[in-house]
Amino acid sequence: MATKEDLKAKDAAMELAEEARETEWKFPSFTAEMFRGNFRWDLLHPYPAQSEEDKKIGDELIAKIKDLLDKYVDPVEIDKTGVYPKEALEKMKEMGLFGMKIKPEYGGLGLSVTNYARVLSFIGSYCQSTITWLSAHQSIGVPEPLRTFGTEEQKKKYLPRVAKGEISAFALTEPEVGSDPAQMKTTATPSPDGSYYLLNGVKLWTTNGPDADVIVVMAKTPPKIKNGREIPQITAFIVETNWPGVEVVTRCKFMGLKGLSNGMLRFNNVKVPTENIIGKPGMGLKIALTTLNTGRLGVPSAGVGAAKRFLEDAEWWAKNRVQWGRPIGQHQEIAKKIANFTANTFATQAMVFITCSFADKKNADIRLEAAAAKYFATEFGWQGMDDLLQTLGGRGYEMADSLYNRGERPFFVERFMRDSRVGRIFEGSSEIMHLIMAREALDTHFSLVMPIMKPQKGQSMVKLIWNALKFYIKWYPKLWLPSSTNFNVKKLNSTNRDHLKYTAKTCKRLARSIFHTMAKYGPKLENEQLILGNYVDIGVDLFVMASCLSYAEYLMNKNPNDDSPQDLADLFCKNARQRIENNFKAVKKNHNYMYRKVGDKLLEGKYRWLEFDVYEGLPPKYRDYEKNLPIPAEAPDNSKTEAKA
């Protein structure tokens, strides 16, 4: 049973999250419109292909990067030693790869989002550890938040430095705080004269942190009072790691990404000038969320590169490995795995690069598309890697060096699997992507219905009800009318045109179902995370279906004699339609309550009777682990006085 303190903490967290949300939709969003029942085919078709001029820039850079990787990066050796070669970092700095997203006026390459994604995709097909250095630096490190929220003085001071290769990082997570920043312990206390802040706290899993020169640090600043309650304020600071009080506590090691620089950092009375605040005090979480909108595209870009790299392995093995008189690729069990792997790679490519095009043209709001791309690419990418390993059998599980040393073709699936698993966790776990997208899917109804269910003091109930009625009287009947979308597709065959019609029709069905579920559960719907997850999965599949159908049409226009894109689109859409129908069924008929029931009993210790014939406790070496707990940084004695100031 939740205590009053638990509920209070939950309300504070929810209010902080709501304040940090981007509430305006300045540009259209395909996915947001889809959740409202509108199929915006015009946003996806014609497929927004990269211009030849911009493509040439990417082609030339990728050719140079290949030479660099060949000479200075050995991913197998990095995986063995856990050491990333310094010479490779220096060469990447010389080439300007740490300034790919920074404008030329600040010393960067000024690449388009599409070319940046292409570079990450290319490198991701070779060495995932290299990706982490580059992506954490500019997708979520100092360059991205400064680009959007920084002052001109901050840009002139820091962007040329990070473009030339001063490593940057992003510090949000703490030992006891993950996705709930309201519980953040790191504090930034203003000085009496307001000229600086004293930063105190510990940050965990800071990628690039142990080697960083500058870091974006999120910290609690004095709270804001709203409706008589304190609302936590999170503020973003630029911190230079050579300042007194910045300490690397430890380097973290993981199951994969052995060349990753990641660690726990402590800030002990670090004096941060007020001019190093990004944006305004209290904007930190908003900055973090906005930064991640575009930053998240790095993860699926690298993932789709890895998947494309393994298509050749899948083809080679399925064709050359003969069992029971024929290649294993001709056996249905294996054919299903490699076919789905290929179709899902095709669909992911289409979705990721449509979203990149939106970011480049600045003609669409991509907060939902970026979350969908990250979620879909990492979930299906992991499934694909698992299927590929299963297809390779023991050779998939065996390390590449071991295969090579006994004269067999080396496969790198084992390493890539370890490296890619974290994709479902960092920069927002799959579960957090569900929550983010679910909140936006319900945005229209939250803004109209929730004020009626939870009225605030001084609000007119009659006005609230009238505003809701005006909207729903016009909106709801339209959800039952046939789609009037003009698809204008000439190259798609009849099967794929049918998939397109299904996608448009199902958008309306999805919007109706969300509305009916909202009416059924009311405010309690926020607790039905699995049902909301079903709706999000439907929405993601619809977005990816539409993306790959547009991509297939584009490829057929380029090369009418090759109908292979038709088959990939058809297979993906057939699978997606099955998932969609299963998710609609799961909304109406499920046993979700049993997960909570069994889960609660586990928390209460009622299943300890299952724990027999097991080794109890930790191995001897680790029993005193608590002695290694970091000593938290302590705020100065005058913190309360300074907070008031």
mmCIF file of all heavy atoms in Angstrom, residues 177-210:
data_model
loop_
_atom_site.group_PDB
_atom_site.id
_atom_site.type_symbol
_atom_site.label_atom_id
_atom_site.label_comp_id
_atom_site.label_asym_id
_atom_site.label_seq_id
_atom_site.Cartn_x
_atom_site.Cartn_y
_atom_site.Cartn_z
ATOM 1 N N VAL A 177 19.097 7.082 -8.470
ATOM 2 C CA VAL A 177 18.114 7.780 -9.301
ATOM 3 C C VAL A 177 18.365 7.452 -10.768
ATOM 4 O O VAL A 177 19.453 7.694 -11.283
ATOM 5 C CB VAL A 177 18.192 9.309 -9.101
ATOM 6 C CG1 VAL A 177 17.123 9.998 -9.951
ATOM 7 C CG2 VAL A 177 18.027 9.672 -7.643
ATOM 8 N N GLY A 178 17.334 6.891 -11.422
ATOM 9 C CA GLY A 178 17.437 6.599 -12.839
ATOM 10 C C GLY A 178 16.508 7.482 -13.639
ATOM 11 O O GLY A 178 16.848 8.592 -14.022
ATOM 12 N N SER A 179 15.280 7.010 -13.840
ATOM 13 C CA SER A 179 14.319 7.725 -14.684
ATOM 14 C C SER A 179 13.401 8.663 -13.907
ATOM 15 O O SER A 179 12.462 9.200 -14.474
ATOM 16 C CB SER A 179 13.472 6.705 -15.450
ATOM 17 O OG SER A 179 14.291 5.862 -16.217
ATOM 18 N N ASP A 180 13.676 8.846 -12.620
ATOM 19 C CA ASP A 180 12.845 9.726 -11.794
ATOM 20 C C ASP A 180 13.691 10.877 -11.262
ATOM 21 O O ASP A 180 14.167 10.858 -10.129
ATOM 22 C CB ASP A 180 12.255 8.924 -10.619
ATOM 23 C CG ASP A 180 11.325 9.771 -9.743
ATOM 24 O OD1 ASP A 180 11.054 10.929 -10.117
ATOM 25 O OD2 ASP A 180 10.891 9.268 -8.692
ATOM 26 N N PRO A 181 13.917 11.901 -12.083
ATOM 27 C CA PRO A 181 14.813 12.999 -11.687
ATOM 28 C C PRO A 181 14.317 13.799 -10.488
ATOM 29 O O PRO A 181 15.087 14.541 -9.890
ATOM 30 C CB PRO A 181 14.883 13.869 -12.943
ATOM 31 C CG PRO A 181 13.699 13.503 -13.752
ATOM 32 C CD PRO A 181 13.386 12.075 -13.443
ATOM 33 N N ALA A 182 13.036 13.647 -10.130
ATOM 34 C CA ALA A 182 12.537 14.366 -8.950
ATOM 35 C C ALA A 182 13.275 13.931 -7.682
ATOM 36 O O ALA A 182 13.335 14.674 -6.705
ATOM 37 C CB ALA A 182 11.035 14.140 -8.787
ATOM 38 N N GLN A 183 13.827 12.711 -7.714
ATOM 39 C CA GLN A 183 14.543 12.187 -6.548
ATOM 40 C C GLN A 183 16.038 12.492 -6.598
ATOM 41 O O GLN A 183 16.808 11.951 -5.802
ATOM 42 C CB GLN A 183 14.329 10.673 -6.461
ATOM 43 C CG GLN A 183 12.878 10.243 -6.428
ATOM 44 C CD GLN A 183 12.089 10.912 -5.317
ATOM 45 O OE1 GLN A 183 12.532 10.957 -4.183
ATOM 46 N NE2 GLN A 183 10.922 11.452 -5.659
ATOM 47 N N MET A 184 16.453 13.331 -7.508
ATOM 48 C CA MET A 184 17.864 13.651 -7.670
ATOM 49 C C MET A 184 18.472 14.189 -6.385
ATOM 50 O O MET A 184 17.858 14.993 -5.680
ATOM 51 C CB MET A 184 18.020 14.680 -8.803
ATOM 52 C CG MET A 184 19.448 14.955 -9.228
ATOM 53 S SD MET A 184 19.499 16.137 -10.598
ATOM 54 C CE MET A 184 18.841 15.137 -11.930
ATOM 55 N N LYS A 185 19.686 13.733 -6.094
ATOM 56 C CA LYS A 185 20.377 14.160 -4.868
ATOM 57 C C LYS A 185 21.445 15.223 -5.128
ATOM 58 O O LYS A 185 21.828 15.958 -4.226
ATOM 59 C CB LYS A 185 21.043 12.946 -4.198
ATOM 60 C CG LYS A 185 20.076 11.821 -3.818
ATOM 61 C CD LYS A 185 19.125 12.241 -2.717
ATOM 62 C CE LYS A 185 18.300 11.078 -2.184
ATOM 63 N NZ LYS A 185 17.362 10.517 -3.165
ATOM 64 N N THR A 186 21.958 15.282 -6.335
ATOM 65 C CA THR A 186 22.979 16.275 -6.657
ATOM 66 C C THR A 186 22.372 17.671 -6.570
ATOM 67 O O THR A 186 21.301 17.922 -7.136
ATOM 68 C CB THR A 186 23.558 16.031 -8.065
ATOM 69 O OG1 THR A 186 24.176 14.753 -8.085
ATOM 70 C CG2 THR A 186 24.589 17.074 -8.426
ATOM 71 N N THR A 187 23.047 18.563 -5.866
ATOM 72 C CA THR A 187 22.523 19.919 -5.654
ATOM 73 C C THR A 187 23.483 20.970 -6.200
ATOM 74 O O THR A 187 24.691 20.757 -6.271
ATOM 75 C CB THR A 187 22.305 20.201 -4.156
ATOM 76 O OG1 THR A 187 23.559 20.088 -3.470
ATOM 77 C CG2 THR A 187 21.300 19.236 -3.555
ATOM 78 N N ALA A 188 22.914 22.075 -6.585
ATOM 79 C CA ALA A 188 23.691 23.249 -6.979
ATOM 80 C C ALA A 188 23.129 24.421 -6.184
ATOM 81 O O ALA A 188 21.992 24.844 -6.398
ATOM 82 C CB ALA A 188 23.586 23.497 -8.474
ATOM 83 N N THR A 189 23.934 24.916 -5.233
ATOM 84 C CA THR A 189 23.467 25.943 -4.298
ATOM 85 C C THR A 189 24.018 27.305 -4.700
ATOM 86 O O THR A 189 25.232 27.477 -4.820
ATOM 87 C CB THR A 189 23.947 25.616 -2.870
ATOM 88 O OG1 THR A 189 23.597 24.268 -2.563
ATOM 89 C CG2 THR A 189 23.316 26.549 -1.863
ATOM 90 N N PRO A 190 23.134 28.291 -4.932
ATOM 91 C CA PRO A 190 23.624 29.607 -5.365
ATOM 92 C C PRO A 190 24.390 30.329 -4.267
ATOM 93 O O PRO A 190 24.076 30.206 -3.084
ATOM 94 C CB PRO A 190 22.334 30.356 -5.727
ATOM 95 C CG PRO A 190 21.248 29.655 -4.980
ATOM 96 C CD PRO A 190 21.657 28.236 -4.838
ATOM 97 N N SER A 191 25.409 31.057 -4.673
ATOM 98 C CA SER A 191 26.188 31.860 -3.723
ATOM 99 C C SER A 191 25.364 33.069 -3.294
ATOM 100 O O SER A 191 24.410 33.457 -3.969
ATOM 101 C CB SER A 191 27.494 32.317 -4.371
ATOM 102 O OG SER A 191 27.218 33.175 -5.474
ATOM 103 N N PRO A 192 25.722 33.687 -2.170
ATOM 104 C CA PRO A 192 24.953 34.850 -1.698
ATOM 105 C C PRO A 192 24.854 35.972 -2.723
ATOM 106 O O PRO A 192 23.821 36.642 -2.824
ATOM 107 C CB PRO A 192 25.730 35.295 -0.458
ATOM 108 C CG PRO A 192 26.399 34.051 0.037
ATOM 109 C CD PRO A 192 26.758 33.283 -1.193
ATOM 110 N N ASP A 193 25.941 36.165 -3.499
ATOM 111 C CA ASP A 193 25.907 37.266 -4.474
ATOM 112 C C ASP A 193 25.392 36.817 -5.847
ATOM 113 O O ASP A 193 25.314 37.616 -6.780
ATOM 114 C CB ASP A 193 27.294 37.896 -4.619
ATOM 115 C CG ASP A 193 28.331 36.925 -5.175
ATOM 116 O OD1 ASP A 193 27.976 35.757 -5.432
ATOM 117 O OD2 ASP A 193 29.493 37.332 -5.356
ATOM 118 N N GLY A 194 25.057 35.516 -5.980
ATOM 119 C CA GLY A 194 24.486 35.010 -7.226
ATOM 120 C C GLY A 194 25.471 34.843 -8.360
ATOM 121 O O GLY A 194 25.067 34.576 -9.497
ATOM 122 N N SER A 195 26.775 34.928 -8.081
ATOM 123 C CA SER A 195 27.774 34.846 -9.155
ATOM 124 C C SER A 195 28.182 33.416 -9.497
ATOM 125 O O SER A 195 28.757 33.171 -10.550
ATOM 126 C CB SER A 195 29.027 35.644 -8.773
ATOM 127 O OG SER A 195 29.652 35.069 -7.631
ATOM 128 N N TYR A 196 27.903 32.485 -8.589
ATOM 129 C CA TYR A 196 28.277 31.094 -8.847
ATOM 130 C C TYR A 196 27.357 30.157 -8.074
ATOM 131 O O TYR A 196 26.567 30.584 -7.224
ATOM 132 C CB TYR A 196 29.738 30.843 -8.468
ATOM 133 C CG TYR A 196 30.038 30.988 -6.990
ATOM 134 C CD1 TYR A 196 29.893 29.909 -6.105
ATOM 135 C CD2 TYR A 196 30.478 32.205 -6.463
ATOM 136 C CE1 TYR A 196 30.154 30.047 -4.749
ATOM 137 C CE2 TYR A 196 30.741 32.349 -5.107
ATOM 138 C CZ TYR A 196 30.581 31.268 -4.256
ATOM 139 O OH TYR A 196 30.833 31.408 -2.906
ATOM 140 N N TYR A 197 27.478 28.872 -8.386
ATOM 141 C CA TYR A 197 26.766 27.808 -7.669
ATOM 142 C C TYR A 197 27.795 26.819 -7.133
ATOM 143 O O TYR A 197 28.826 26.582 -7.775
ATOM 144 C CB TYR A 197 25.806 27.065 -8.603
ATOM 145 C CG TYR A 197 24.524 27.798 -8.923
ATOM 146 C CD1 TYR A 197 24.516 28.897 -9.773
ATOM 147 C CD2 TYR A 197 23.307 27.380 -8.395
ATOM 148 C CE1 TYR A 197 23.341 29.569 -10.077
ATOM 149 C CE2 TYR A 197 22.119 28.035 -8.694
ATOM 150 C CZ TYR A 197 22.141 29.132 -9.531
ATOM 151 O OH TYR A 197 20.975 29.794 -9.829
ATOM 152 N N LEU A 198 27.512 26.234 -5.977
ATOM 153 C CA LEU A 198 28.348 25.158 -5.453
ATOM 154 C C LEU A 198 27.668 23.830 -5.771
ATOM 155 O O LEU A 198 26.548 23.556 -5.325
ATOM 156 C CB LEU A 198 28.557 25.300 -3.945
ATOM 157 C CG LEU A 198 29.561 26.372 -3.509
ATOM 158 C CD1 LEU A 198 29.662 26.415 -1.985
ATOM 159 C CD2 LEU A 198 30.947 26.118 -4.112
ATOM 160 N N LEU A 199 28.360 23.025 -6.560
ATOM 161 C CA LEU A 199 27.820 21.763 -7.061
ATOM 162 C C LEU A 199 28.312 20.609 -6.192
ATOM 163 O O LEU A 199 29.515 20.451 -5.974
ATOM 164 C CB LEU A 199 28.271 21.559 -8.511
ATOM 165 C CG LEU A 199 27.800 20.303 -9.247
ATOM 166 C CD1 LEU A 199 26.290 20.330 -9.457
ATOM 167 C CD2 LEU A 199 28.517 20.202 -10.599
ATOM 168 N N ASN A 200 27.365 19.804 -5.678
ATOM 169 C CA ASN A 200 27.706 18.659 -4.833
ATOM 170 C C ASN A 200 26.847 17.463 -5.211
ATOM 171 O O ASN A 200 25.622 17.578 -5.320
ATOM 172 C CB ASN A 200 27.470 18.990 -3.357
ATOM 173 C CG ASN A 200 28.517 19.936 -2.810
ATOM 174 O OD1 ASN A 200 29.597 19.516 -2.424
ATOM 175 N ND2 ASN A 200 28.193 21.228 -2.800
ATOM 176 N N GLY A 201 27.481 16.307 -5.390
ATOM 177 C CA GLY A 201 26.727 15.098 -5.688
ATOM 178 C C GLY A 201 27.562 14.053 -6.394
ATOM 179 O O GLY A 201 28.750 14.259 -6.673
ATOM 180 N N VAL A 202 26.915 12.930 -6.673
ATOM 181 C CA VAL A 202 27.569 11.812 -7.356
ATOM 182 C C VAL A 202 26.726 11.431 -8.567
ATOM 183 O O VAL A 202 25.504 11.306 -8.471
ATOM 184 C CB VAL A 202 27.713 10.595 -6.413
ATOM 185 C CG1 VAL A 202 28.301 9.398 -7.157
ATOM 186 C CG2 VAL A 202 28.575 10.941 -5.205
ATOM 187 N N LYS A 203 27.368 11.254 -9.706
ATOM 188 C CA LYS A 203 26.694 10.840 -10.940
ATOM 189 C C LYS A 203 27.240 9.492 -11.394
ATOM 190 O O LYS A 203 28.441 9.221 -11.281
ATOM 191 C CB LYS A 203 26.909 11.884 -12.048
ATOM 192 C CG LYS A 203 26.248 13.234 -11.771
ATOM 193 C CD LYS A 203 24.734 13.149 -11.794
ATOM 194 C CE LYS A 203 24.084 14.516 -11.596
ATOM 195 N NZ LYS A 203 22.610 14.432 -11.602
ATOM 196 N N LEU A 204 26.345 8.669 -11.908
ATOM 197 C CA LEU A 204 26.695 7.306 -12.303
ATOM 198 C C LEU A 204 26.491 7.114 -13.807
ATOM 199 O O LEU A 204 25.644 7.772 -14.409
ATOM 200 C CB LEU A 204 25.817 6.318 -11.530
ATOM 201 C CG LEU A 204 26.000 4.823 -11.803
ATOM 202 C CD1 LEU A 204 27.412 4.357 -11.432
ATOM 203 C CD2 LEU A 204 24.961 4.002 -11.043
ATOM 204 N N TRP A 205 27.272 6.182 -14.375
ATOM 205 C CA TRP A 205 27.140 5.782 -15.778
ATOM 206 C C TRP A 205 27.246 6.966 -16.738
ATOM 207 O O TRP A 205 26.462 7.113 -17.678
ATOM 208 C CB TRP A 205 25.820 5.028 -16.016
ATOM 209 C CG TRP A 205 25.739 3.735 -15.265
ATOM 210 C CD1 TRP A 205 26.774 2.915 -14.926
ATOM 211 C CD2 TRP A 205 24.556 3.112 -14.749
ATOM 212 N NE1 TRP A 205 26.331 1.828 -14.234
ATOM 213 C CE2 TRP A 205 24.960 1.917 -14.111
ATOM 214 C CE3 TRP A 205 23.206 3.435 -14.765
ATOM 215 C CZ2 TRP A 205 24.064 1.053 -13.497
ATOM 216 C CZ3 TRP A 205 22.306 2.581 -14.159
ATOM 217 C CH2 TRP A 205 22.738 1.405 -13.531
ATOM 218 N N THR A 206 28.201 7.807 -16.467
ATOM 219 C CA THR A 206 28.437 8.957 -17.337
ATOM 220 C C THR A 206 29.338 8.519 -18.486
ATOM 221 O O THR A 206 30.549 8.353 -18.309
ATOM 222 C CB THR A 206 29.092 10.116 -16.557
ATOM 223 O OG1 THR A 206 28.295 10.418 -15.412
ATOM 224 C CG2 THR A 206 29.226 11.342 -17.421
ATOM 225 N N THR A 207 28.747 8.309 -19.657
ATOM 226 C CA THR A 207 29.525 7.874 -20.816
ATOM 227 C C THR A 207 30.456 8.995 -21.269
ATOM 228 O O THR A 207 30.030 10.142 -21.408
ATOM 229 C CB THR A 207 28.591 7.458 -21.961
ATOM 230 O OG1 THR A 207 27.753 6.388 -21.505
ATOM 231 C CG2 THR A 207 29.382 6.966 -23.164
ATOM 232 N N ASN A 208 31.717 8.640 -21.475
ATOM 233 C CA ASN A 208 32.826 9.558 -21.765
ATOM 234 C C ASN A 208 33.315 10.279 -20.517
ATOM 235 O O ASN A 208 34.350 10.952 -20.556
ATOM 236 C CB ASN A 208 32.472 10.605 -22.831
ATOM 237 C CG ASN A 208 32.409 10.034 -24.235
ATOM 238 O OD1 ASN A 208 32.614 8.850 -24.427
ATOM 239 N ND2 ASN A 208 32.108 10.869 -25.207
ATOM 240 N N GLY A 209 32.585 10.149 -19.400
ATOM 241 C CA GLY A 209 32.892 10.917 -18.192
ATOM 242 C C GLY A 209 34.330 10.828 -17.707
ATOM 243 O O GLY A 209 34.963 11.864 -17.438
ATOM 244 N N PRO A 210 34.916 9.620 -17.579
ATOM 245 C CA PRO A 210 36.273 9.524 -17.054
ATOM 246 C C PRO A 210 37.319 10.237 -17.908
ATOM 247 O O PRO A 210 38.397 10.568 -17.421
ATOM 248 C CB PRO A 210 36.533 8.009 -17.032
ATOM 249 C CG PRO A 210 35.181 7.401 -16.903
ATOM 250 C CD PRO A 210 34.294 8.290 -17.718
#
